[in-house]
Amino acid sequence: MVKIEPFAVEQWMDDYETTATYNLAETCCASISLTDLQNLSEQPSSSENSQSIVSLFSNNTKLTYGAIRGSEALRGHLSRLYSVKTPTVLPPDNVLITSGAIQGNFLLHYALVQPGDHVIVHYPTYQQLYSVSEIIGAEVSLWKAKESESDENGWVLDTEELKGLIRPNTRMIVLNNPQNPTGALIPKSKLQEIVDIAKGQSIIIHADEVYRPIFHGISPLDNEFPPSLLSLGYENVVVTGSMSKAYSLAGIRVGWIAARNKEIIDKCMVCRDYTTISVSQIDDAVASYALAPHTIHSLLLRNIQLAKTNLAILETFIEGHRWACDWRKPRAGTTAFVRFNKMGRPVDDVAFCKLLHEKKGVLVVPGSRCFGHDFKGYVRFGYVCETEVLEQGLEKLREFMKGEYVDDVPLAK
């Protein structure tokens, strides 16, 4: 029987999310309503072609399974987004719509990785990106990003180390860019190095890009601004994304797989038939509306500005508590990885998070429980929630730091 490891971060959220008053663990940009989404749209309400979101639910379309691979409209919008500044257009048929990126990631590894294969995974990261391959029976090597005070990217990957990890049976390299939980990014030059290494041995690269394009610490005009990995011209690149993180629409459960190599999509489709037949037509329609040219730019502007505003608030907290915590400031995404210590020794982050939730109603995520034993003392914050929630949660955390942190939080063992 296949042994499935508990999905630590999802179980943590399930255990505590509904009872928290201040959720600073959520990794989505602050969620929006359908009314909010329509208000963000630049489509004139008087236009003959305009369609309110409400009408998507009240027209006479029969609610069949719909387009199995995703509607032409939705796949067309994604094709357009992935074709910007690329030499060749990504065909819509090279996009497969899934029930969230979590299904996309699962299908991708289930379809492409076999027992005995070797997979290299950018680390720390979302547990699914290495656990699924382990469940299948593959060997997994963790390519560990190193904290760096001298590099502005914060958590740095060494491509020489990557070369040393590659084996004859290496099937896939897995990246997470921007990275969960650190908020670090892999710059363009480093992405190109990774592509060159993989290309030389025909290794597939899977880039989980669910936090793209929430880049708030680097300008698109910067030479190192990271493009989608699909834009670098390697045919064995495949990316996953979703409407949940960068687009504030986790509730519609829409994600996707996109690849230059159509065979990758077809293999995923074969496996998909055994899971979810299709994404709900209603969810597909909402995603199409959000990614349409009349809406996407305003939606992303709102979320990137929210990330900048909230990160400055979190930074003020960090700077005011340097006696107990430090970090590598995030440059992208929605998460920050903060290390708490006493006199330079890491605290028990699980005890810290449980006590903070119990005493102050603030939910954050323990690093050693949810991202690996290497990260004792680390706590993940999701800071792109509503600004008032962040401010109120941090005020409660300030109170906690003055009292329970000093007196009751133990050191890591």
Side-chain angles (χ1 to χ4, degrees), residues 112-119 137-140 167 169-172:
L112 300 181
V113 178
Q114 298 180 8
D117 283 344
H118 177 237
V119 177
E139 302 172 272
V140 173
R167 307 175 187 173
N169 63 332
T170 300
R171 174 67 169 163
M172 183 183 292

Side-chain angles (χ1 to χ4, degrees), residues 99 103 106-107 110 268-278:
S99 296
Q103 187 196 36
F106 184 90
L107 287 176
Y110 193 78
C268 292
M269 189 63 200
V270 169
C271 295
R272 183 224 174 89
D273 287 337
Y274 286 90
T275 57
T276 304
I277 294 174
S278 63

Side-chain angles (χ1 to χ4, degrees), residues 207-239:
D208 180 331
E209 297 181 344
V210 295
Y211 294 98
R212 179 179 178 81
I214 304 299
F215 295 105
H216 42 76
I218 186 171
S219 165
L221 301 178
D222 192 307
N223 289 334
E224 287 289 14
F225 186 83
S228 170
L229 207 67
L230 280 182
S231 70
L232 297 185
Y234 179 38
E235 66 172 4
N236 286 330
V237 161
V238 54
V239 304

Side-chain angles (χ1 to χ4, degrees), residues 252-317:
I252 64 172
R253 308 309 304 130
V254 172
W256 55 84
I257 305 169
R260 290 284 171 189
N261 185 342
K262 178 66 160 46
E263 291 182 8
I264 290 176
I265 297 298
D266 292 339
K267 287 180 180 179
C268 292
M269 189 63 200
V270 169
C271 295
R272 183 224 174 89
D273 287 337
Y274 286 90
T275 57
T276 304
I277 294 174
S278 63
V279 169
S280 154
Q281 284 194 67
I282 295 172
D283 294 345
D284 186 302
V286 175
S288 297
Y289 188 95
L291 295 181
H294 57 67
T295 305
I296 185 173
H297 304 294
S298 297
L299 177 56
L300 287 176
L301 180 64
R302 176 252 191 196
N303 287 350
I304 292 171
Q305 186 54 57
L306 181 64
K308 289 180 177 180
T309 297
N310 287 8
L311 182 58
I313 294 168
L314 180 57
E315 184 174 21
T316 298
F317 173 86

Side-chain angles (χ1 to χ4, degrees), residues 355-377:
L355 197 60
L356 179 60
H357 176 267
E358 176 188 343
K359 298 296 184 181
K360 301 297 182 181
V362 178
L363 179 62
V364 287
V365 175
S368 67
R369 169 73 64 85
C370 298
F371 294 98
H373 297 301
D374 295 334
F375 302 108
K376 291 180 179 180

Side-chain angles (χ1 to χ4, degrees), residues 81-94:
L81 292 174
Y82 283 119
S83 298
V84 173
K85 296 183 179 180
T86 60
T88 56
V89 172
L90 180 75
D93 284 348
N94 287 43

